[in-house]
Amino acid sequence: MKRKIRVALYGVGVIGSMVAKFLLEKEGLEIVGAVDVAKDKVGKDLGDIVGINKHLGITISDDADTVLSKTKPDVAVHTTTSFMEKVYPQIAQIVKHGVNVVSTCEELSYPYLSSSKLARELDTLAKKHDATVLGTGINPGFLMDTLVIALTAPCQEIKRIKVVRVMNAATRRVPFQKKIGAGLSAAEFREKIEHKIISGHVGLEQSITMIAAALAWELDKIQVDAVEPVIAKKTVRSDAIRVEAGQAAGLRQCAYGVRNGQKVISLEFQAYIGAEEEYDAITIEGTPIIKQKISPCVHGDVGTIAMVCNSIPKVINAEAGLVTMKDLPVPSAAVEDMRKYVKP
Ligand SMILES: NC(=O)c1ccc[n+]([C@@H]2O[C@H](COP(=O)([O-])OP(=O)(O)OC[C@H]3O[C@@H](n4cnc5c(N)ncnc54)[C@H](OP(=O)(O)O)[C@@H]3O)[C@@H](O)[C@H]2O)c1
């Protein structure tokens, strides 16, 4: 590809802004448009909103159709919300312009169980308009699914897979700290989780489904335990939130893929302010046994930005349709001029 890859941002919140700043430093690629509905962003210059001391001449608009038809991007980086029902119309809108999509929507990472009808419709629509759609990120998208799948490659047989991710949420973006309930009393935490006012981590079911699909394991069911607060034993704090002893510092979530009555895939996710040991651990009980521990854990926001941007050339190269990380070539970083990774 000789000309620069043209990228539009659809969603300029915390992650969209971090993506923008990262892409502005990359060679072989240009940001050509930006869409967001937040009233305090619409009409502003992208440079002001992402917090760089420079006007970029790109005005954030809430009119996605106009932005997409005028700027004709190759890819839209979509970072608005976590749920398929909400993002479906947004992604359908992008795809109808024949534009590829890389999205951080967690449920889109492997939507074939939780939102199978919408997934099929999106796949059909994307094929019709010759566009590729991918849901990715650090988790779901890599640490608790794609990496796990890659680690099964040297196994002759597998009995069980266990994955644990533990992180100190103080180092993560503020919307994340809020969605894990940091700073709430235990009662408020349970009430807000129950009424879906805070979402907790979204994606464990999608990760389990992706792993099972890669292994062609038919699961009896996916069991999801109630989300539990991790209660602070002493005062802990992030830059934005102070958590007193006895309050929720974050959460612990577990989900299991059950096959023939056995929990064959176990995912445990812990994110709380003040976690002292941070790690990503994968254990595959099989032949051979595989134990892998990344310590400290991969930083979620940094990793998400990289996963999204590194996926841009892979999505441009892919066949049209809804694809998942499991379907794409081996994930890898795109550290050189981005055009070098696009097939001629
Ligand atoms: N897979 C992963 O590993 C991973 C990692 C990180 C984040 N994520 C997900 O990525 C998403 C973005 O995260 P974030 O922290 O950047 O959230 P955020 O700060 O809330 O940003 C989202 C932005 O999108 C805007 N928006 C909402 N609906 C829109 C629409 N229909 N059209 C255009 N813009 C719209 C929001 O405006 P309003 O504020 O007005 O709603 C906001 O400005 C979240 O769902 C998050 O959970 C996934």
Side-chain angles (χ1 to χ4, degrees):
M1 189 185 239
K2 284 196 178 137
R3 65 167 175 81
K4 288 184 175 178
I5 299 168
R6 297 170 68 79
V7 180
L9 303 172
Y10 196 116
V12 195
V14 179
I15 294 291
S17 298
M18 290 165 91
V19 166
K21 282 197 260 192
F22 185 65
L23 291 182
L24 287 166
E25 301 296 320
K26 303 261 332 162
E27 279 179 51
L29 172 152
E30 60 186 329
I31 299 175
V32 295
V35 175
D36 200 292
V37 293
K39 290 202 168 24
D40 56 342
K41 294 174 189 158
V42 176
K44 304 258 171 69
D45 188 86
L46 180 65
D48 291 336
I49 294 301
V50 305
I52 53 169
N53 284 330
K54 194 172 146 193
H55 268 226
L56 297 169
I58 298 167
T59 304
I60 298 177
S61 166
D62 58 2
D63 181 353
D65 280 326
T66 301
V67 170
L68 293 167
S69 59
K70 276 195 176 158
T71 62
K72 303 200 182 332
D74 299 296
V75 180
V77 172
H78 172 269
T79 58
T80 61
T81 58
S82 307
F83 303 103
M84 270 298 275
E85 291 222 342
K86 282 194 180 156
V87 303
Y88 181 85
Q90 302 164 17
I91 293 180
Q93 184 182 36
I94 302 169
V95 159
K96 282 179 188 164
H97 288 265
V99 174
N100 301 304
V101 181
V102 179
S103 171
T104 56
C105 171
E106 287 92 336
E107 286 192 347
L108 184 67
S109 65
Y110 206 84
Y112 294 105
L113 184 73
S114 49
S115 323
S116 56
K117 185 168 174 286
L118 289 180
R120 282 197 306 276
E121 285 175 15
L122 203 50
D123 183 49
T124 305
L125 194 68
K127 284 179 175 142
K128 182 175 164 197
H129 294 279
D130 196 23
T132 306
V133 177
L134 172 72
T136 193
I138 199 69
N139 178 37
F142 188 67
L143 289 170
M144 297 182 94
D145 39 52
T146 311
L147 181 60
V148 181
I149 292 167
L151 285 174
T152 65
C155 292
Q156 294 179 356
E157 54 112 32
I158 296 170
K159 291 196 184 80
R160 259 180 301 277
I161 295 173
K162 189 173 179 201
V163 186
V164 183
R165 174 159 168 79
V166 183
M167 75 172 80
N168 180 2
T171 66
R172 299 288 307 273
R173 66 195 192 283
V174 176
F176 180 83
Q177 294 174 23
K178 289 193 174 150
K179 78 176 182 181
I180 60 165
L184 301 176
S185 71
E188 282 171 333
F189 178 96
R190 292 203 166 87
E191 197 191 319
K192 289 195 171 184
I193 286 281
E194 190 187 329
H195 293 101
K196 298 191 180 351
I197 296 166
I198 53 171
S199 63
H201 171 70
V202 181
L204 293 183
E205 288 162 270
Q206 286 70 26
S207 292
I208 289 173
T209 319
M210 197 197 300
I211 296 168
L215 299 176
W217 277 0
E218 277 182 32
L219 299 178
D220 310 339
K221 62 175 179 179
I222 293 181
Q223 180 185 321
V224 182
D225 285 356
V227 181
E228 283 299 319
V230 174
I231 302 297
K233 294 194 176 73
K234 58 180 185 187
T235 302
V236 287
R237 59 190 313 158
S238 66
D239 287 346
I241 298 177
R242 179 185 166 96
V243 182
E244 304 296 343
Q247 290 183 324
L251 52 70
R252 178 174 180 269
Q253 287 177 238
C254 295
Y256 310 92
V258 180
R259 185 175 187 233
N260 300 328
Q262 303 286 318
K263 290 175 179 170
V264 289
I265 303 172
S266 302
L267 304 189
E268 178 177 340
F269 177 85
Q270 296 183 39
Y272 57 96
I273 293 177
E276 278 168 16
E277 197 197 354
E278 297 188 282
Y279 61 90
D280 292 295
I282 299 172
T283 305
I284 300 172
E285 284 178 39
T287 309
I289 289 177
I290 295 195
K291 285 192 177 204
Q292 182 234 30
K293 187 168 182 181
I294 303 173
S295 180
C297 68
V298 178
H299 191 283
D301 298 339
V302 175
T304 295
I305 306 316
M307 288 298 300
V308 165
C309 299
N310 292 335
S311 298
I312 288 174
K314 293 190 192 292
V315 161
I316 293 174
N317 292 339
E319 300 273 303
L322 173 60
V323 297
T324 72
M325 289 299 292
K326 166 178 99 47
D327 312 314
L328 289 179
V330 176
S332 52
V335 288
E336 300 290 319
D337 186 309
M338 290 294 258
R339 288 169 288 194
K340 288 189 184 176
Y341 304 96
V342 176
K343 284 185 193 159

